[in-house]
């Protein structure tokens, strides 16, 4: 069933459209858009002074614009604000962004014609996706530069994404039978004013963190067995005494993943293996903190996805247009800074577990760097180097962007959120953390094989077997980059967790 704009939009809807789901503009929403447009038309006809409709923008808000110049004003704002630089956002991120902006317009408080929403929906359904440079937003009057690039193809300008890069939008849309739209009063401003850039990137990053948290539990369980650790610290009675929801979820997953493990049973009563290092023993607390932060972030993103982040805002019931500050990205920026910060912990503790199972002084009997004949062979030594580099990079990226306001527009926009920067940093941290957890999984699979003839638990055995379908056991040194790539694809695409869930049931 198509996702409907202008109604109740969930984060799952956004992810589905980002991945290719169809979109629909229902009649009920169309009626609200018509009502808001009628207010704008009345204001233009009356000659009232309304920001962005009969005035200039930003610090030029006191410059009066005649009704005869309304179309030129709106065309000018889209073209002049498309100043973004850097690589384009991914196709999924831009599809999410296009959906979210169409949804805001379809809520009926922006004053555009239904034609604008129709075109955006058609572009999504035909996968004609604008190329949007990812740098250049201050996140104050929303994501002005990215949204302007998103809007350019509607007027026959800008670029579209292709399989190999980008192409000019005008000719491509002409081939598709779509003529440029001539913007009317208020429409250019409505297209560029909002938080949908940071929101799109943030929603997709948050979804990846939710998936990664489950994969991190799998990786931790594998490393616990690999290092001859214990599951005693995951006892439900202990965990219940500190009832953070995320911690409880992670601990429950670990208990299920390690249930019935012959490896753990082999040393359960050992007098010298009493308790594990923090990276093993405290996995629920660390992974759980990420989950708890993610719950807060998801709440903010859900609220924002259903919010009107335009300016000025049309109030059709009162036949009025009001200027406000709903475009400011601070709520989203703070949440995405929190997402970035919380995700570092998943990568950081994963790298520590990886280090531990490679070190013969700490891994309880495994060969150095998990390869026989170490010295002649380096084994997984450089895998940990790479993981350490990625974690260090994450720490730098985790500096909160939302604290770094810088004034613009001749002082009119004197406090900005830097929300798009926060979103990009969060996304890049997730990418790094996915790599680190994948490296841990790959090394832990090697370690579990080295524990033979002892077998891992059903859940971790399924994970080890899933790795072995992609990556052979390391007997002598070889190039490991292809192995890392295969493992990270398995983690990102959910295949690793799916293999485990086929053995132990759904993980939370």
């Amino acid at each position: 069933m198509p996702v409907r704009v202008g109604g109740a939009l969930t984060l799952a809807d956004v992810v589905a459209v980002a991945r290719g789901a169809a979109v629909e503009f229902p009649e009920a929403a169309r009626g609200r858009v018509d009502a808001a447009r009628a207010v704008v038309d009345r204001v233009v006809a009356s000659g009232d002074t309304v920001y962005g409709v009969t005035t200039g923008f930003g610090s030029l808000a006191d410059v009066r614009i005649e009704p005869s110049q309304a179309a030129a004003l709106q065309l000018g704002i889209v073209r002049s604000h498309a100043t973004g630089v850097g690589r384009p956002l991914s196709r999924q991120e831009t599809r999410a962004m296009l959906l979210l902006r169409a949804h805001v317009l379809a809520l009926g408080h922006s004053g555009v014609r239904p034609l604008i929403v129709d075109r955006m929906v058609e572009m999504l359904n035909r996968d004609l996706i604008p190329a949007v440079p990812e740098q250049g937003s201050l996140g104050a009057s929303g994501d002005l530069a990215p949204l302007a690039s998103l809007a350019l193809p509607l007027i026959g300008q800008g670029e579209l994404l292709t399989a190999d890069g980008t192409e000019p939008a005008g000719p491509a849309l002409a081939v598709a039978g779509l003529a440029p739209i001539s913007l009317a009063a208020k429409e250019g401003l409505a297209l560029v004013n909002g938080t949908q850039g940071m929101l799109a990137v943030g929603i997709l990053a948050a979804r990846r963190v939710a998936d990664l948290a489950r994969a991190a539990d799998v990786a931790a369980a594998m490393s616990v067995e690999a290092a001859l650790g214990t599951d005693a610290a995951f006892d439900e009675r202990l965990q219940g005494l500190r009832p953070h929801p995320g911690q409880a979820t992670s601990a429950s997953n670990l208990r299920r993943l390690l249930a019935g493990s012959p490896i753990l049973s082999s040393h359960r009563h050992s007098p010298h293996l009493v308790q594990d290092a923090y990276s093993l023993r405290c996995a629920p607390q660390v992974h759980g903190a990420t989950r708890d932060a993610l719950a807060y972030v998801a709440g903010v993103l859900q609220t924002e996805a259903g919010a009107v982040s335009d300016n000025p805002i049309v109030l059709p019931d009162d036949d009025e247009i009001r200027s406000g500050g709903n475009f400011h990205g601070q709520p989203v920026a703070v949440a995405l800074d929190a997402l970035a910060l919380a995700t570092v912990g998943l990568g950081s503790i994963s790298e520590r577990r990886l280090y531990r199972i490679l070190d013969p002084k700490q891994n309880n009997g495994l060969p150095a760097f998990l390869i026989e004949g170490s010295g002649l062979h380096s084994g997984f030594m450089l895998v940990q180097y790479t993981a350490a580099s990625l974690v260090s990079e994450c720490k730098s990226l985790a500096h909160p962007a939302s604290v770094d306001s810088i004034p613009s527009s001749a002082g009119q926009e004197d406090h900005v959120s830097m929300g798009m920067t926060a979103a990009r940093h969060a996304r890049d941290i997730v990418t790094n953390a996915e790599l680190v957890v994948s490296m841990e999984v790959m090394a832990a699979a090697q370690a579990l094989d080295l524990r033979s003839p002892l077998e891992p638990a059903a859940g971790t055995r399924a994970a080890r077997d899933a790795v072995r379908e992609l990556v052979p056991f390391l007997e002598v040194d070889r190039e490991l980059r292809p192995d890392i790539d295969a493992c990270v694809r398995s983690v990102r695409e959910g295949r690793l967790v799916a293999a485990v869930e086929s053995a132990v049931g759904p993980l939370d």
Side-chain angles (χ1 to χ4, degrees):
M1 183 175 178
V3 171
R4 294 186 162 194
V5 296
L9 189 72
T10 68
L11 301 186
D13 289 335
V14 177
V15 173
V17 172
R19 295 175 178 176
V23 183
E24 183 176 270
F25 182 21
E27 286 303 315
R30 187 180 299 274
R32 292 194 297 272
V33 172
D34 276 329
R37 182 64 208 176
V39 177
V40 173
D41 289 340
R42 182 195 62 75
V43 166
V44 173
S46 70
D48 292 348
T49 299
V50 176
Y51 170 71
V53 179
T54 56
T55 75
F57 309 111
S59 65
L60 303 175
D62 58 351
V63 178
R64 173 75 181 179
I65 306 297
E66 294 302 318
S68 62
Q69 298 176 302
L73 176 69
Q74 301 306 313
L75 177 64
I77 191 174
V78 173
R79 291 199 290 203
S80 69
H81 283 47
T83 57
V85 296
R87 65 186 183 187
L89 295 173
S90 71
R91 182 172 292 271
Q92 286 197 9
E93 288 168 333
T94 313
R95 283 185 61 88
M97 186 178 174
L98 189 56
L99 168 73
L100 288 162
R101 196 61 203 162
H103 176 65
V104 169
L105 301 181
L107 290 172
H109 292 279
S110 295
V112 301
R113 293 166 294 168
L115 167 67
I116 300 293
V117 181
D118 283 329
R119 176 59 58 85
M120 298 171 88
V121 168
E122 184 168 9
M123 290 176 68
L124 281 166
N125 288 338
R126 298 175 66 175
D127 205 30
L128 299 167
I129 305 304
V132 177
E134 66 174 20
Q135 293 174 279
S137 173
L138 293 175
S141 288
D143 294 309
L144 290 172
L147 283 167
S149 292
L150 188 80
L152 280 174
L154 276 70
I155 60 174
Q157 300 182 24
E159 296 183 315
L160 298 180
L161 295 174
T162 67
D164 301 318
T166 64
E167 64 179 344
L173 291 171
V175 170
L178 300 178
I181 294 174
S182 296
L183 299 178
K186 177 68 167 68
E187 289 180 335
L189 184 57
L191 286 167
V192 304
N193 216 332
T195 58
Q196 285 66 52
M198 66 182 81
L199 185 58
V201 175
I203 287 172
L204 295 182
R207 173 58 182 264
R208 289 167 65 189
V209 174
D211 294 339
L212 183 60
R214 289 187 287 274
D217 287 343
V218 172
M222 296 173 75
S223 291
V224 166
E225 285 184 309
L228 295 185
T230 175
D231 59 356
F234 312 142
D235 188 301
E236 190 169 8
R237 294 167 297 175
L238 294 180
Q239 298 294 323
L241 296 175
R242 196 188 193 197
H244 293 293
Q247 177 179 330
T249 295
S250 181
S252 175
N253 285 344
L254 285 163
R255 289 194 298 271
R256 291 167 58 205
L257 287 161
L258 293 168
S261 168
I263 293 178
L264 297 191
S265 296
S266 71
H267 64 277
R268 191 172 298 280
H269 303 295
S270 169
H272 65 283
L273 298 176
V274 179
Q275 64 178 15
D276 296 325
Y278 290 1
S279 60
L280 302 175
R281 190 182 355 150
C282 301
Q285 288 78 7
V286 177
H287 296 186
T290 300
R291 282 182 163 89
D292 290 341
L294 178 61
Y296 152 69
V297 172
V300 172
L301 298 179
Q302 181 62 71
T303 297
E304 190 71 9
V308 177
S309 57
D310 205 341
N311 186 62
I313 288 173
V314 181
L315 304 171
D317 292 344
D318 300 308
D319 193 31
E320 190 176 352
I321 301 178
R322 282 288 179 120
S323 183
N326 279 0
F327 50 72
H328 202 292
Q330 194 75 4
V332 180
V334 170
L336 294 180
D337 278 339
L339 182 67
L341 182 70
T343 306
V344 175
L346 286 182
S348 178
I349 196 170
S350 176
E351 184 275 333
R352 287 293 81 198
R353 292 190 298 259
L354 170 61
Y355 183 96
R356 179 164 292 275
I357 63 176
L358 301 186
D359 184 357
K361 298 183 180 67
Q362 301 182 71
N363 65 19
N364 289 314
L366 294 173
F369 306 111
L370 301 181
I371 194 165
E372 301 292 353
S374 52
L376 174 62
H377 300 294
S378 295
F380 286 78
M381 179 191 295
L382 266 292
V383 173
Q384 184 271 328
Y385 279 40
T386 301
S389 171
L390 292 169
V391 169
S392 183
E393 182 178 282
C394 287
K395 295 172 185 176
S396 297
L397 289 169
H399 174 79
S402 61
V403 305
D404 193 26
S405 177
I406 187 168
S408 61
S409 192
Q412 175 75 2
E413 298 170 9
D414 58 351
H415 184 278
V416 300
S417 75
M418 303 307 299
M420 189 61 156
T421 302
R424 290 170 42 235
H425 285 182
R427 176 199 63 197
D428 292 349
I429 287 171
V430 176
T431 297
N432 288 348
E434 288 169 340
L435 282 160
V436 174
V437 170
S438 301
M439 292 176 195
E440 181 190 1
V441 166
M442 186 174 78
Q446 176 86 358
L448 292 177
D449 280 343
L450 289 168
R451 291 294 181 193
S452 181
L454 290 172
E455 278 291 311
T460 48
R461 183 167 64 250
R464 189 271 315 273
D465 293 347
V467 172
R468 285 290 161 259
E469 290 180 4
L470 304 170
V471 174
F473 180 81
L474 186 66
E475 295 183 0
V476 297
D477 279 349
R478 64 172 183 264
E479 183 188 357
L480 292 177
R481 168 66 184 275
D483 297 349
I484 294 170
D485 289 345
C487 284
V488 78
R489 282 194 301 271
S490 180
V491 167
R492 284 179 179 156
E493 295 169 6
R495 289 184 280 121
L496 175 76
V497 170
V500 171
E501 289 180 330
S502 70
V504 300
L507 299 179
D508 296 321

